[in-house]
Amino acid sequence: QVQLVESGGGLVQTGGSLRLSCAASGPTFSGYVMGWFRQAPGKEREFVAAVTSSGGSSYYADPGKGRFTISRDNAKNTVYLQMNSLKPEDTAVYYCALGQEGTGSYGYWGQGTQVTVSS
């Protein structure tokens, strides 16, 4: 059974940076795509970024392009989301997820970490 635990959220001012981490348990981390999603109050959960199993390719939703960087360390079973130039509209609960490569489907989710950007 895979478990995902996010950390690194917090309160930051506009223009600041945060790095989120997601530690995975289980022996299959390296074989799966990892993604970050977020959900703001009153809004649907949305895709933020994803990285392929090898770490060779990454994908970003438009809001984070040029500001966010997703990476993974398969030796540490950890995926990261570096967020720079944060804006108040980035305020949300951020979730990491593990999924099947090439399907867009994520079967395992973390509990989420709150990111709050003050104006």
Side-chain angles (χ1 to χ4, degrees), residues 9-56:
L11 174 64
V12 64
Q13 291 185 334
T14 296
S17 299
L18 283 174
R19 188 175 84 151
L20 307 183
S21 299
C22 173
S25 63
T28 59
F29 176 81
S30 62
Y32 291 87
V33 66
M34 295 298 299
W36 284 97
F37 293 75
R38 68 186 184 184
Q39 187 168 20
K43 295 189 176 182
E44 303 258 330
R45 185 166 59 191
E46 63 177 4
F47 170 77
V48 175
V51 61
T52 55
S53 59
S54 66

Side-chain angles (χ1 to χ4, degrees), residues 69-89:
T69 303
I70 188 171
S71 61
R72 66 191 293 163
D73 184 339
N74 286 342
K76 296 182 178 179
N77 279 10
T78 301
V79 62
Y80 306 97
L81 184 69
Q82 177 67 44
M83 303 187 294
N84 299 327
S85 302
L86 283 162
K87 306 174 183 179
E89 51 264 44

Side-chain angles (χ1 to χ4, degrees), residues 53-110:
S53 59
S54 66
S57 295
S58 55
Y59 307 90
Y60 298 91
D62 285 343
K65 283 181 180 177
R67 300 187 298 125
F68 295 177
T69 303
I70 188 171
S71 61
R72 66 191 293 163
D73 184 339
N74 286 342
K76 296 182 178 179
N77 279 10
T78 301
V79 62
Y80 306 97
L81 184 69
Q82 177 67 44
M83 303 187 294
N84 299 327
S85 302
L86 283 162
K87 306 174 183 179
E89 51 264 44
D90 294 318
T91 295
V93 177
Y94 284 70
Y95 299 89
C96 70
L98 180 150
Q100 294 281 350
E101 198 136 40
T103 66
S105 174
Y106 293 84
Y108 296 94
W109 295 82

